[in-house]
Coordinates of all heavy atoms in Angstrom, one line a residue:
M205 N -26.5 -2.1 -41.4 CA -25.2 -2.6 -41.2 C -24.3 -2.3 -42.5 O -23.2 -2.1 -42.3 CB -25.3 -4.1 -41.0 CG -26.0 -4.5 -39.8 SD -25.4 -3.7 -38.3 CE -24.4 -5.0 -37.7
R206 N -25.0 -2.3 -43.7 CA -24.2 -2.0 -44.9 C -23.5 -0.7 -44.8 O -22.4 -0.5 -45.1 CB -25.1 -2.1 -46.1 CG -24.3 -2.0 -47.4 CD -25.2 -1.8 -48.6 NE -25.1 -0.4 -48.9 CZ -26.0 0.4 -49.4 NH1 -27.2 -0.1 -49.7 NH2 -25.8 1.6 -49.6
D207 N -24.3 0.3 -44.3 CA -23.8 1.7 -44.2 C -22.6 1.8 -43.2 O -21.7 2.5 -43.5 CB -24.9 2.7 -43.8 CG -26.0 2.8 -44.9 OD1 -25.7 2.5 -46.0 OD2 -27.1 3.2 -44.5
V208 N -22.7 1.1 -42.1 CA -21.6 1.1 -41.2 C -20.4 0.4 -41.8 O -19.3 1.0 -41.7 CB -22.0 0.3 -39.9 CG1 -20.9 0.2 -38.9 CG2 -23.2 1.0 -39.2
Y209 N -20.6 -0.7 -42.4 CA -19.4 -1.4 -43.1 C -18.8 -0.5 -44.1 O -17.6 -0.3 -44.1 CB -19.9 -2.7 -43.7 CG -18.8 -3.3 -44.6 CD1 -17.7 -3.9 -44.0 CD2 -18.8 -3.2 -46.0 CE1 -16.7 -4.5 -44.8 CE2 -17.8 -3.7 -46.7 CZ -16.7 -4.3 -46.1 OH -15.7 -4.8 -46.9
Q210 N -19.6 0.1 -45.0 CA -19.0 1.0 -46.0 C -18.4 2.3 -45.5 O -17.6 2.8 -46.2 CB -20.1 1.2 -47.1 CG -20.5 0.0 -47.9 CD -21.5 0.2 -48.9 OE1 -22.3 1.1 -48.9 NE2 -21.5 -0.7 -49.9
A211 N -18.8 2.7 -44.3 CA -18.1 3.9 -43.7 C -16.7 3.6 -43.3 O -15.9 4.5 -43.0 CB -19.0 4.4 -42.6
G212 N -16.3 2.3 -43.2 CA -15.0 1.9 -42.9 C -14.7 1.5 -41.4 O -15.6 1.7 -40.6
A213 N -13.6 1.0 -41.2 CA -13.2 0.4 -39.9 C -13.3 1.4 -38.8 O -13.8 1.2 -37.7 CB -11.8 -0.2 -40.0
N214 N -12.8 2.7 -39.0 CA -12.8 3.7 -37.9 C -14.2 4.0 -37.5 O -14.4 4.2 -36.3 CB -12.0 4.9 -38.4 CG -10.5 4.7 -38.5 OD1 -10.0 3.8 -37.8 ND2 -9.8 5.4 -39.3
N215 N -15.1 4.2 -38.5 CA -16.4 4.6 -38.1 C -17.2 3.4 -37.5 O -18.0 3.6 -36.6 CB -17.2 5.1 -39.3 CG -16.8 6.5 -39.7 OD1 -16.5 7.3 -38.8 ND2 -16.8 6.7 -41.0
A216 N -16.8 2.2 -37.9 CA -17.5 1.0 -37.3 C -17.2 0.8 -35.9 O -18.0 0.2 -35.1 CB -17.1 -0.3 -38.1
T217 N -16.1 1.4 -35.4 CA -15.7 1.2 -34.0 C -16.7 2.0 -33.1 O -16.7 1.8 -31.9 CB -14.3 1.7 -33.7 OG1 -14.2 3.1 -34.0 CG2 -13.3 0.9 -34.4
K218 N -17.5 2.9 -33.7 CA -18.5 3.7 -32.9 C -19.9 3.1 -33.0 O -20.8 3.6 -32.4 CB -18.5 5.1 -33.5 CG -17.2 5.8 -33.5 CD -17.2 7.1 -34.3 CE -15.8 7.6 -34.5 NZ -15.7 8.4 -35.7
S219 N -20.0 1.9 -33.6 CA -21.3 1.3 -33.7 C -21.7 0.4 -32.6 O -20.8 0.0 -31.8 CB -21.4 0.5 -35.0 OG -20.7 -0.7 -34.9
S220 N -22.9 0.0 -32.4 CA -23.3 -0.9 -31.3 C -22.8 -2.3 -31.5 O -22.7 -3.0 -30.6 CB -24.9 -0.9 -31.2 OG -25.4 -1.4 -32.5
N221 N -22.4 -2.6 -32.7 CA -21.8 -3.9 -33.0 C -20.3 -3.8 -33.3 O -19.7 -4.6 -34.0 CB -22.4 -4.6 -34.2 CG -23.9 -5.0 -34.0 OD1 -24.1 -5.6 -33.0 ND2 -24.7 -4.5 -34.9
C222 N -19.6 -2.9 -32.6 CA -18.2 -2.6 -32.8 C -17.3 -3.8 -32.6 O -16.3 -4.0 -33.4 CB -17.7 -1.4 -32.0 SG -17.8 -1.7 -30.2
D223 N -17.7 -4.7 -31.7 CA -16.9 -5.9 -31.5 C -16.9 -6.8 -32.7 O -15.9 -7.4 -33.1 CB -17.3 -6.7 -30.3 CG -18.8 -7.0 -30.3 OD1 -19.6 -6.3 -30.9 OD2 -19.1 -8.0 -29.6
L224 N -18.0 -6.9 -33.4 CA -18.2 -7.8 -34.6 C -17.4 -7.1 -35.7 O -16.7 -7.8 -36.5 CB -19.6 -8.0 -34.9 CG -20.4 -8.7 -33.8 CD1 -21.9 -8.8 -34.3 CD2 -19.9 -10.1 -33.5
F225 N -17.6 -5.8 -35.9 CA -16.9 -5.1 -37.0 C -15.4 -5.2 -36.8 O -14.6 -5.3 -37.8 CB -17.4 -3.7 -37.1 CG -18.7 -3.6 -37.9 CD1 -19.8 -3.2 -37.2 CD2 -18.7 -3.9 -39.2 CE1 -21.0 -3.1 -37.9 CE2 -19.9 -3.8 -39.9 CZ -21.1 -3.4 -39.2
Y226 N -14.9 -5.1 -35.6 CA -13.5 -5.2 -35.3 C -12.9 -6.5 -35.8 O -11.9 -6.6 -36.5 CB -13.3 -5.1 -33.8 CG -11.8 -5.2 -33.3 CD1 -10.9 -4.2 -33.5 CD2 -11.3 -6.5 -32.9 CE1 -9.6 -4.3 -33.1 CE2 -10.0 -6.6 -32.5 CZ -9.2 -5.6 -32.6 OH -7.8 -5.7 -32.2
E227 N -13.6 -7.6 -35.5 CA -13.2 -8.9 -35.9 C -13.3 -9.0 -37.5 O -12.4 -9.5 -38.1 CB -14.1 -10.0 -35.3 CG -13.9 -10.2 -33.9 CD -12.5 -10.7 -33.5 OE1 -11.9 -11.5 -34.3 OE2 -12.1 -10.4 -32.4
L228 N -14.4 -8.5 -38.0 CA -14.5 -8.6 -39.5 C -13.4 -7.8 -40.2 O -12.8 -8.4 -41.1 CB -15.9 -8.0 -39.9 CG -16.2 -7.9 -41.4 CD1 -16.2 -9.2 -42.0 CD2 -17.4 -7.1 -41.6
F229 N -13.1 -6.6 -39.8 CA -12.1 -5.8 -40.5 C -10.7 -6.4 -40.2 O -9.9 -6.4 -41.1 CB -12.1 -4.4 -40.0 CG -13.2 -3.6 -40.8 CD1 -14.4 -3.2 -40.1 CD2 -13.1 -3.2 -42.1 CE1 -15.4 -2.5 -40.7 CE2 -14.1 -2.5 -42.7 CZ -15.2 -2.2 -42.1
N230 N -10.5 -7.1 -39.1 CA -9.2 -7.8 -38.9 C -9.0 -9.0 -39.9 O -8.0 -9.2 -40.4 CB -9.1 -8.3 -37.5 CG -8.6 -7.2 -36.5 OD1 -8.1 -6.1 -36.9 ND2 -8.8 -7.4 -35.2
I231 N -10.1 -9.7 -40.1 CA -10.0 -10.8 -41.0 C -9.8 -10.3 -42.4 O -9.0 -10.9 -43.2 CB -11.3 -11.7 -40.9 CG1 -11.4 -12.4 -39.5 CG2 -11.4 -12.7 -42.0 CD1 -12.7 -13.0 -39.2
I232 N -10.5 -9.3 -42.8 CA -10.4 -8.7 -44.1 C -8.9 -8.3 -44.4 O -8.4 -8.6 -45.4 CB -11.4 -7.5 -44.3 CG1 -12.8 -8.1 -44.4 CG2 -11.0 -6.7 -45.6 CD1 -13.8 -7.0 -44.4
R233 N -8.3 -7.6 -43.4 CA -6.9 -7.2 -43.5 C -6.0 -8.4 -43.6 O -5.1 -8.4 -44.4 CB -6.6 -6.3 -42.3 CG -6.7 -4.8 -42.7 CD -6.1 -4.0 -41.5 NE -7.2 -3.1 -41.0 CZ -7.9 -3.3 -39.9 NH1 -7.6 -4.3 -39.2 NH2 -8.8 -2.5 -39.6
A234 N -6.2 -9.3 -42.7 CA -5.3 -10.5 -42.6 C -5.3 -11.3 -43.9 O -4.3 -11.8 -44.3 CB -5.6 -11.3 -41.4
K235 N -6.5 -11.5 -44.4 CA -6.6 -12.3 -45.6 C -6.5 -11.5 -46.9 O -6.6 -12.1 -48.0 CB -7.9 -13.1 -45.6 CG -8.0 -14.1 -44.4 CD -9.2 -15.0 -44.5 CE -9.2 -16.0 -43.4 NZ -8.3 -17.1 -43.6
D236 N -6.4 -10.2 -46.8 CA -6.3 -9.3 -48.0 C -7.4 -9.6 -49.0 O -7.2 -9.9 -50.1 CB -4.9 -9.5 -48.6 CG -4.6 -8.4 -49.6 OD1 -5.2 -7.2 -49.4 OD2 -3.9 -8.6 -50.6
I237 N -8.6 -9.5 -48.5 CA -9.8 -9.8 -49.3 C -10.6 -8.5 -49.4 O -10.5 -7.5 -48.7 CB -10.7 -10.9 -48.8 CG1 -11.2 -10.6 -47.4 CG2 -10.0 -12.2 -48.9 CD1 -12.2 -11.6 -46.9
T238 N -11.5 -8.5 -50.4 CA -12.4 -7.4 -50.6 C -13.8 -7.9 -50.6 O -14.1 -8.9 -51.2 CB -12.2 -6.7 -52.0 OG1 -10.8 -6.3 -52.1 CG2 -13.1 -5.5 -52.2
L239 N -14.7 -7.3 -49.9 CA -16.1 -7.7 -49.8 C -17.0 -6.6 -50.5 O -16.7 -5.4 -50.4 CB -16.6 -7.8 -48.4 CG -15.9 -8.8 -47.5 CD1 -16.5 -8.7 -46.1 CD2 -16.1 -10.2 -48.0
D240 N -18.0 -7.1 -51.3 CA -18.9 -6.2 -51.9 C -20.2 -6.5 -51.1 O -20.8 -7.5 -51.2 CB -19.1 -6.6 -53.3 CG -20.1 -5.7 -54.0 OD1 -20.3 -4.6 -53.6 OD2 -20.7 -6.2 -55.1
V241 N -20.7 -5.5 -50.4 CA -21.8 -5.6 -49.5 C -23.0 -4.8 -50.1 O -22.8 -3.6 -50.4 CB -21.6 -5.1 -48.1 CG1 -22.8 -5.2 -47.2 CG2 -20.4 -5.8 -47.5
Q242 N -24.1 -5.5 -50.4 CA -25.3 -4.8 -50.9 C -26.5 -5.1 -50.1 O -26.6 -6.2 -49.5 CB -25.6 -5.4 -52.3 CG -24.5 -5.0 -53.4 CD -24.9 -5.4 -54.7 OE1 -26.1 -5.4 -55.1 NE2 -24.0 -5.8 -55.5
W243 N -27.4 -4.2 -50.0 CA -28.7 -4.4 -49.3 C -29.6 -5.2 -50.2 O -29.6 -5.2 -51.4 CB -29.3 -3.1 -49.0 CG -30.7 -3.2 -48.4 CD1 -31.0 -3.4 -47.1 CD2 -31.9 -3.3 -49.1 NE1 -32.3 -3.6 -46.9 CE2 -32.9 -3.5 -48.1 CE3 -32.3 -3.3 -50.4 CZ2 -34.3 -3.7 -48.5 CZ3 -33.6 -3.4 -50.8 CH2 -34.6 -3.6 -49.8
M244 N -30.3 -6.1 -49.5 CA -31.4 -6.8 -50.2 C -32.6 -7.0 -49.2 O -32.3 -7.1 -48.0 CB -30.9 -8.2 -50.7 CG -30.5 -9.2 -49.7 SD -30.2 -10.8 -50.3 CE -31.8 -11.5 -50.5
P245 N -33.8 -7.1 -49.8 CA -34.9 -7.3 -48.9 C -34.8 -8.7 -48.3 O -34.3 -9.7 -48.9 CB -36.1 -7.2 -49.7 CG -35.7 -7.0 -51.1 CD -34.2 -6.9 -51.1
S246 N -35.2 -8.9 -47.0 CA -35.1 -10.2 -46.4 C -36.3 -11.0 -46.6 O -37.3 -10.5 -47.0 CB -34.9 -10.0 -44.9 OG -36.0 -9.3 -44.3
H247 N -36.2 -12.3 -46.4 CA -37.3 -13.3 -46.4 C -38.0 -13.3 -47.8 O -39.2 -13.6 -47.8 CB -38.3 -13.0 -45.3 CG -37.6 -12.8 -44.0 ND1 -37.1 -13.9 -43.3 CD2 -37.4 -11.8 -43.2 CE1 -36.6 -13.5 -42.2 NE2 -36.7 -12.2 -42.1
L248 N -37.3 -13.1 -48.9 CA -37.9 -13.2 -50.2 C -38.4 -14.6 -50.5 O -39.3 -14.7 -51.4 CB -36.9 -12.7 -51.3 CG -36.6 -11.3 -51.3 CD1 -35.5 -11.0 -52.3 CD2 -37.9 -10.5 -51.7
K249 N -37.9 -15.6 -49.9 CA -38.3 -17.0 -50.1 C -39.5 -17.4 -49.3 O -40.1 -18.4 -49.6 CB -37.1 -17.9 -49.8 CG -37.3 -19.3 -50.5 CD -36.0 -20.1 -50.3 CE -36.1 -21.4 -50.9 NZ -34.9 -22.2 -50.8
D250 N -39.9 -16.6 -48.3 CA -41.0 -16.9 -47.4 C -42.3 -17.0 -48.2 O -42.5 -16.1 -49.1 CB -41.2 -15.9 -46.3 CG -40.0 -16.0 -45.3 OD1 -39.2 -16.9 -45.4 OD2 -40.0 -15.2 -44.4
E251 N -43.1 -18.0 -47.9 CA -44.4 -18.1 -48.6 C -45.3 -16.9 -48.3 O -45.4 -16.4 -47.2 CB -45.1 -19.3 -48.1 CG -46.4 -19.7 -48.9 CD -47.0 -21.0 -48.4 OE1 -46.2 -21.9 -48.1 OE2 -48.2 -21.1 -48.4
G252 N -45.9 -16.3 -49.4 CA -46.7 -15.1 -49.2 C -46.0 -13.8 -49.2 O -46.6 -12.8 -49.0
C253 N -44.7 -13.9 -49.4 CA -43.9 -12.6 -49.4 C -44.3 -11.7 -50.5 O -44.4 -12.1 -51.7 CB -42.4 -12.9 -49.5 SG -41.4 -11.5 -49.5
K254 N -44.6 -10.5 -50.2 CA -45.1 -9.5 -51.2 C -44.0 -8.5 -51.6 O -44.3 -7.5 -52.2 CB -46.4 -8.9 -50.8 CG -47.5 -9.8 -50.6 CD -48.8 -9.1 -50.3 CE -50.0 -9.9 -50.0 NZ -50.1 -11.2 -50.4
K255 N -42.8 -8.7 -51.1 CA -41.7 -7.8 -51.3 C -41.2 -7.9 -52.8 O -41.3 -9.0 -53.4 CB -40.5 -8.0 -50.4 CG -40.8 -7.8 -48.9 CD -39.6 -8.1 -48.1 CE -40.0 -7.9 -46.6 NZ -38.8 -8.3 -45.7
V256 N -40.8 -6.8 -53.3 CA -40.3 -6.8 -54.7 C -38.8 -7.2 -54.7 O -38.0 -6.7 -53.9 CB -40.4 -5.3 -55.3 CG1 -39.8 -5.3 -56.7 CG2 -41.9 -4.9 -55.3
R257 N -38.5 -8.1 -55.6 CA -37.1 -8.6 -55.7 C -36.3 -7.6 -56.6 O -36.7 -7.5 -57.8 CB -37.1 -10.0 -56.2 CG -35.7 -10.5 -56.5 CD -35.9 -12.0 -57.0 NE -34.6 -12.5 -57.5 CZ -34.4 -13.7 -57.8 NH1 -35.4 -14.6 -57.6 NH2 -33.2 -14.2 -58.2
P258 N -35.3 -6.9 -56.1 CA -34.5 -6.1 -57.0 C -33.8 -6.9 -58.1 O -33.5 -8.1 -57.9 CB -33.5 -5.4 -56.1 CG -34.1 -5.6 -54.7 CD -34.9 -6.8 -54.8
E259 N -33.5 -6.3 -59.2 CA -32.9 -7.0 -60.4 C -31.6 -7.6 -60.0 O -31.2 -8.7 -60.5 CB -32.6 -6.0 -61.5 CG -33.9 -5.7 -62.3 CD -33.5 -4.8 -63.5 OE1 -32.3 -4.8 -64.0 OE2 -34.4 -4.1 -64.0
Y260 N -30.8 -6.9 -59.1 CA -29.4 -7.4 -58.8 C -29.4 -8.6 -57.8 O -28.4 -9.2 -57.5 CB -28.6 -6.3 -58.2 CG -29.1 -5.6 -57.0 CD1 -28.8 -6.2 -55.7 CD2 -29.9 -4.5 -57.1 CE1 -29.3 -5.6 -54.6 CE2 -30.4 -3.9 -55.9 CZ -30.1 -4.4 -54.7 OH -30.6 -3.8 -53.5
V261 N -30.6 -8.9 -57.2 CA -30.7 -10.0 -56.3 C -30.8 -11.4 -57.0 O -31.8 -11.6 -57.7 CB -31.8 -9.8 -55.3 CG1 -32.0 -11.0 -54.3 CG2 -31.6 -8.6 -54.4
T262 N -29.9 -12.3 -56.8 CA -29.9 -13.5 -57.5 C -30.5 -14.6 -56.6 O -30.7 -14.4 -55.4 CB -28.5 -14.0 -57.8 OG1 -27.7 -14.3 -56.6 CG2 -27.7 -12.9 -58.7
D263 N -30.8 -15.8 -57.2 CA -31.3 -16.9 -56.4 C -30.3 -17.3 -55.3 O -30.6 -17.7 -54.2 CB -31.5 -18.1 -57.3 CG -32.7 -17.9 -58.3 OD1 -33.6 -17.0 -58.0 OD2 -32.8 -18.6 -59.3
V264 N -29.0 -17.2 -55.7 CA -27.9 -17.6 -54.7 C -28.0 -16.6 -53.5 O -27.8 -17.0 -52.4 CB -26.5 -17.6 -55.4 CG1 -25.4 -17.7 -54.4 CG2 -26.4 -18.7 -56.4
D265 N -28.2 -15.3 -53.8 CA -28.3 -14.3 -52.7 C -29.5 -14.7 -51.8 O -29.3 -14.6 -50.6 CB -28.6 -12.9 -53.3 CG -27.5 -12.4 -54.1 OD1 -26.3 -12.7 -53.9 OD2 -27.7 -11.6 -55.1
I266 N -30.6 -15.1 -52.3 CA -31.8 -15.4 -51.5 C -31.5 -16.6 -50.7 O -31.8 -16.7 -49.5 CB -33.0 -15.6 -52.4 CG1 -33.4 -14.3 -53.1 CG2 -34.2 -16.2 -51.6 CD1 -34.5 -14.4 -54.2
E267 N -30.8 -17.7 -51.3 CA -30.5 -18.9 -50.5 C -29.5 -18.5 -49.4 O -29.6 -19.0 -48.2 CB -29.8 -19.9 -51.4 CG -30.8 -20.6 -52.3 CD -31.9 -21.4 -51.5 OE1 -31.5 -22.0 -50.4 OE2 -33.1 -21.4 -51.9
G268 N -28.5 -17.7 -49.7 CA -27.5 -17.2 -48.7 C -28.2 -16.5 -47.6 O -27.8 -16.7 -46.4
N269 N -29.2 -15.6 -47.9 CA -29.9 -14.9 -46.9 C -30.7 -15.9 -45.9 O -30.7 -15.7 -44.7 CB -30.8 -13.9 -47.5 CG -31.5 -13.0 -46.5 OD1 -32.7 -13.2 -46.2 ND2 -30.8 -12.1 -45.9
C270 N -31.2 -16.9 -46.5 CA -32.0 -17.9 -45.7 C -31.0 -18.6 -44.7 O -31.3 -18.8 -43.6 CB -32.6 -19.0 -46.6 SG -34.0 -18.3 -47.6
Y271 N -29.8 -19.0 -45.2 CA -28.8 -19.6 -44.3 C -28.4 -18.6 -43.3 O -28.2 -19.0 -42.1 CB -27.6 -20.1 -45.1 CG -27.9 -21.4 -45.8 CD1 -28.1 -21.5 -47.1 CD2 -28.0 -22.6 -45.0 CE1 -28.3 -22.8 -47.7 CE2 -28.2 -23.8 -45.6 CZ -28.4 -23.9 -46.9 OH -28.6 -25.1 -47.5
A272 N -28.2 -17.3 -43.6 CA -27.8 -16.3 -42.6 C -28.8 -16.2 -41.5 O -28.5 -16.1 -40.4 CB -27.5 -15.0 -43.3
D273 N -30.1 -16.2 -41.9 CA -31.2 -16.1 -40.9 C -31.2 -17.3 -40.0 O -31.3 -17.2 -38.8 CB -32.5 -16.0 -41.6 CG -32.8 -14.6 -42.2 OD1 -32.0 -13.7 -41.9 OD2 -33.7 -14.5 -43.1
K274 N -31.0 -18.5 -40.6 CA -31.0 -19.7 -39.9 C -29.9 -19.7 -38.8 O -30.1 -20.0 -37.6 CB -30.8 -20.9 -40.8 CG -30.7 -22.3 -40.1 CD -30.3 -23.4 -41.1 CE -30.0 -24.6 -40.3 NZ -29.4 -25.7 -41.0
Y275 N -28.7 -19.4 -39.3 CA -27.5 -19.5 -38.3 C -27.5 -18.4 -37.3 O -27.1 -18.5 -36.2 CB -26.2 -19.6 -39.1 CG -26.1 -20.9 -39.8 CD1 -26.0 -21.0 -41.2 CD2 -26.2 -22.1 -39.1 CE1 -25.9 -22.2 -41.9 CE2 -26.1 -23.3 -39.8 CZ -25.9 -23.4 -41.1 OH -25.9 -24.6 -41.8
A276 N -28.1 -17.2 -37.7 CA -28.2 -16.1 -36.7 C -29.2 -16.5 -35.6 O -28.9 -16.2 -34.4 CB -28.7 -14.9 -37.4
G277 N -30.3 -17.2 -36.0 CA -31.2 -17.7 -35.0 C -30.6 -18.7 -34.1 O -30.8 -18.7 -32.8
E278 N -29.8 -19.6 -34.6 CA -29.1 -20.6 -33.8 C -28.1 -20.0 -32.9 O -28.0 -20.4 -31.7 CB -28.4 -21.7 -34.7 CG -29.4 -22.6 -35.4 CD -28.7 -23.6 -36.3 OE1 -27.5 -23.8 -36.2 OE2 -29.4 -24.2 -37.1
A279 N -27.4 -19.0 -33.4 CA -26.4 -18.3 -32.5 C -27.1 -17.6 -31.4 O -26.6 -17.6 -30.3 CB -25.5 -17.4 -33.4
A280 N -28.2 -16.9 -31.7 CA -28.9 -16.2 -30.7 C -29.4 -17.1 -29.6 O -29.4 -16.7 -28.4 CB -30.1 -15.4 -31.3
E281 N -29.9 -18.3 -29.9 CA -30.3 -19.2 -28.9 C -29.2 -19.6 -28.0 O -29.4 -19.9 -26.8 CB -30.9 -20.4 -29.6 CG -32.3 -20.2 -30.2 CD -32.9 -21.4 -30.8 OE1 -32.5 -22.6 -30.5 OE2 -33.8 -21.3 -31.7
L282 N -28.0 -19.7 -28.5 CA -26.9 -20.2 -27.7 C -26.4 -19.2 -26.7 O -25.8 -19.5 -25.7 CB -25.7 -20.5 -28.7 CG -25.8 -21.7 -29.6 CD1 -24.7 -21.8 -30.5 CD2 -25.9 -23.0 -28.7
V283 N -26.8 -17.9 -26.9 CA -26.3 -16.9 -25.9 C -27.4 -16.3 -25.1 O -27.3 -15.2 -24.6 CB -25.5 -15.8 -26.7 CG1 -24.2 -16.3 -27.3 CG2 -26.3 -15.1 -27.7
Q284 N -28.6 -16.9 -25.1 CA -29.7 -16.4 -24.3 C -29.3 -16.4 -22.8 O -28.7 -17.3 -22.3 CB -30.9 -17.3 -24.5 CG -31.5 -17.2 -25.8 CD -32.1 -15.9 -26.1 OE1 -32.8 -15.3 -25.3 NE2 -31.8 -15.3 -27.3
V285 N -29.7 -15.3 -22.1 CA -29.5 -15.2 -20.7 C -30.7 -15.5 -20.0 O -31.8 -15.1 -20.3 CB -29.1 -13.7 -20.4 CG1 -28.9 -13.5 -18.9 CG2 -27.8 -13.3 -21.2
P286 N -30.6 -16.4 -19.0 CA -31.9 -16.8 -18.2 C -32.5 -15.5 -17.6 O -31.8 -14.6 -17.2 CB -31.3 -17.7 -17.1 CG -30.0 -18.1 -17.6 CD -29.5 -17.1 -18.4
L287 N -33.8 -15.5 -17.5 CA -34.6 -14.4 -17.0 C -34.3 -14.2 -15.5 O -34.4 -13.1 -14.9 CB -36.1 -14.6 -17.2 CG -36.5 -14.5 -18.7 CD1 -38.0 -14.7 -18.8 CD2 -36.2 -13.1 -19.2
Q288 N -34.0 -15.3 -14.8 CA -33.7 -15.2 -13.3 C -32.4 -14.5 -13.1 O -31.9 -14.2 -12.2 CB -33.7 -16.6 -12.7 CG -35.0 -17.4 -12.8 CD -35.2 -18.1 -14.1 OE1 -34.4 -18.1 -15.0 NE2 -36.4 -18.6 -14.3

């Protein structure tokens, strides 16, 4: 996702998540903000995680990632389509 974001709004319209990127880039333009997007390994806080924590990843980044995972899971549950 980071690569799609960094490629810019025009390239993001060709991605599988183009609807989300459309909203994101509209908000960025409307609020005149700048985002710094960096990759980080996920689940660094999970017990038994053997992933290496990069130097640039802070405790706040790890907490934020945990919240992102939590709310992504909740959102996914809300839009489940019945198998029938």
